[in-house]
Amino acid sequence: MRAREYDLDFRDKARRTSAWGMGLLVVAALLWIWCALLLLASWDDERDWPEALAVLGLSVPVSVAGAVLFTVGWLSRRMSAHGEAMRELDKFADAPRGTGR
């Protein structure tokens, strides 16, 4: 596989990783909203504390996994773009220059 194809494949995988992370963060946000509804909505002034805590507890690993995946994907894309920019600058710096005089 050529370097350009490998880089594009790497960026595509990083984009998918970031998308998975964003999806998990959306799921975590929905769990937080569900927990808030359980805590704030009053049905006969009784709250279902075990269910609310279970939902909140479930949201923690989902949000951590989502944040990690999103961050890894985003940083991978940024590092790939940085590497490409550095290669382009090296090509420009190594190119023969005309005297111009």
Side-chain angles (χ1 to χ4, degrees):
M1 183 178 286
R2 301 183 75 192
R4 177 81 173 142
E5 294 169 0
Y6 178 78
D7 192 45
L8 290 175
D9 186 51
F10 180 81
R11 287 183 190 196
D12 187 48
K13 288 178 184 177
R15 199 174 353 265
R16 282 190 304 235
T17 301
S18 189
W20 270 101
M22 184 57 70
L24 286 175
L25 287 173
V26 167
V27 170
L30 292 174
L31 288 170
W32 294 335
I33 291 170
W34 183 14
C35 181
L37 288 175
L38 288 173
L39 292 176
L40 298 176
S42 63
W43 292 280
D44 298 332
D45 292 332
E46 294 179 16
R47 294 201 170 43
D48 193 5
W49 289 103
E51 183 181 1
L53 289 176
V55 170
L56 185 63
L58 179 62
S59 73
V60 171
V62 173
S63 61
V64 168
V68 167
L69 286 175
F70 180 78
T71 302
V72 166
W74 184 76
L75 284 175
S76 296
R77 284 191 320 212
R78 294 287 296 165
M79 291 303 295
S80 177
H82 175 73
E84 183 180 7
M86 295 306 293
R87 285 189 300 274
E88 291 296 321
L89 287 173
D90 284 343
K91 283 182 193 177
F92 181 70
D94 293 341
R97 296 183 187 135
T99 57
R101 293 184 204 200

